[in-house]
Amino acid sequence: MHDPLVYLNGEFTPLSEAKVPVLDRGFIFGDGVYEVIPIYGGKMFRAKQHMARLFRSLAAIGIPNPYSEDEWMALIGKVTDACPDDTQLVYMQVTRGVAKRAHAFPAEVKPTVFIMTNPYTPPDAEAVNNGVRCVTTEDLRWMRCDIKSVSLLGNVLAAQHAAENGALEAIQFREGFLSEGASSNVWIVRDGTVYGPPKDNRVLEGIRYGLLQELCAACRIPFALKAIARDEVFAADEVLLTSAGREVLAVVSIDGLPVNGGKPGPLFGKLYAAYQDAKRA
Ligand code: PMP
C-alpha cells in the first residue's frame, strides 16, 4: 500500500504509523484549523497567502503558532520532497493539543501539528470542457466560516447532499443569500462582471478570492464583491466555483436547471486559461 511520509509533532513517519491520542482536542471537539496548498511542477502555488491564512486561523481561535514561516516551509518541504509526484495537495493541521476533556482551553497544552501530502490531479478535460453540476442547500454552519476550522460537519453534510444527488458541489445559501460551496467559493457572472459574496464571517476567504480578482484584472473583466441573492444565482449568465483542488470550474446546472444553456461560458474560458498561465508563471 502507498504509505507516504508525514510529519507529526516533531517526527517524520509513514502515514500508517502516525497516531494521535484520543484526548486530542481535534478528535474530541474539532478544536483545530487546517490548510491545503497545491503544488505544481514541484513548487507551492500561492504559499505565502495560504500560510498567512493558516496563521490568521490559528490566531482567531487562540492557538499559538508553533513555528515560524521558515520552519513551516522546511517541514512542509521535507514531506512534499518525499512524494515522487510533482503535482500534489499538501495538507497541514494544527489542533489545540491533548488534554483532559473540558471545553475551555487547557492551561498547559502543546498544539498537535500534522502535515501530509497527496498526489493531485487537476480537474480533467471533461470537467473543464463540459462544466459541473451543483445542487443548492441551506447553509447550516456556524457564524465563523472565515476560520478554516477542522470542525466541518456542516460542510460534510452539504457535500454528502451533493454526492447523493449526483452533483460535484453543494452551493449554500444563508437566509436567501449565496455564501459558498461545501469546499469552494462560488461566483456569478452578470453582464460581463464577475461577482462574489463579500469577504465576511459567512465565507472562507479562499486564496482564489485574491487570485480570481488578479485574473479578472489581467483579462480586463470587472470584478466586484456584493451580497448575491438566490434569484441572482439562478439568473446569472455564468456561475463559477474555485478552490485549491478544483482551480476554477464552470457550473452548468444548479438543482437540474441549466446555467448558460448548460455549457461553460466565455468568461469561464478566459479565466480558466489565465489560471493555467498563473500556475506556470
Ligand atoms: N470555502 C470553503 C468552505 C473551502 O473549504 C474552500 C477550500 N479550501 C474554499 C472556500 C476555497 O478556498 P481556497 O481557494 O483557498 O482553496
Side-chain angles (χ1 to χ4, degrees), residues 34-36 50 53 141 145 148 152 155 172 180-185 203-209 242-245 275:
Y34 74 109
E35 195 50 59
V36 177
H50 281 282
R53 185 173 65 185
R141 301 172 303 158
C145 297
K148 200 161 169 63
L152 286 170
N155 309 61
Q172 302 174 98
E180 60 183 342
S183 60
S184 58
N185 292 115
V203 296
L204 180 76
E205 181 187 340
I207 299 311
R208 270 125 288 275
Y209 254 80
T242 59
S243 76
Y275 198 110

Side-chain angles (χ1 to χ4, degrees), residues 69-82:
E69 188 165 342
D70 287 349
E71 287 168 333
W72 272 109
M73 285 301 158
L75 295 172
I76 295 167
K78 240 178 131 171
V79 170
T80 59
D81 286 352

Side-chain angles (χ1 to χ4, degrees), residues 91-112:
Y91 175 93
M92 60 219 73
Q93 173 172 330
V94 184
T95 74
R96 200 174 307 277
V98 180
K100 182 172 186 296
R101 186 182 180 281
H103 289 60
F105 301 175
E108 273 189 30
V109 67
K110 210 167 150 261
T112 298

